[in-house]
Amino acid sequence: MSWVLIASYVAFGAAALLTLWRIIVGPSILDRAVASDVMLTLVMCVLGAEMAINHHTRTLPLLLIVAAVGVFGSISVARFVARREGDRR
């Protein structure tokens, strides 16, 4: 295993731990939503890196599903927060 691969594993792992911390501690729902988007982006990056390293496209459908979940999740949270802000007025 090359040092570049090990360095990328360490970087992705550290980013995932920091993002998980923000999901758990985040003071507002918007902080948690942004952190979950970052986590999904990290998962997509890891899947893409794995495909590039191993020279295959078998996990491409999984990558597309994760991207769709991220988009629909962001839209759902935005609508929920907008509706909640409208009730306060």
Side-chain angles (χ1 to χ4, degrees):
M1 201 180 309
S2 71
W3 65 272
V4 175
L5 193 58
I6 293 171
S8 66
Y9 286 155
V10 169
F12 282 133
L17 287 175
L18 290 171
T19 304
L20 188 62
W21 176 256
R22 179 50 60 193
I23 289 173
I24 293 169
V25 175
S28 71
I29 192 168
L30 291 177
D31 290 330
R32 289 182 172 99
V34 169
S36 67
D37 284 345
V38 170
M39 185 65 84
L40 285 173
T41 303
L42 280 171
V43 168
M44 290 171 49
C45 289
V46 167
L47 287 172
E50 190 270 332
M51 285 192 306
I53 290 167
N54 294 326
H55 305 290
H56 69 82
T57 57
R58 289 186 303 262
T59 55
L60 189 61
L62 182 61
L63 187 68
L64 294 173
I65 290 170
V66 169
V69 166
V71 168
F72 294 135
S74 296
I75 291 171
S76 299
V77 169
R79 291 190 64 170
F80 173 74
V81 170
R83 187 172 296 147
R84 215 165 107 193
E85 289 295 323
D87 292 342
R88 289 185 184 173
R89 292 181 191 181

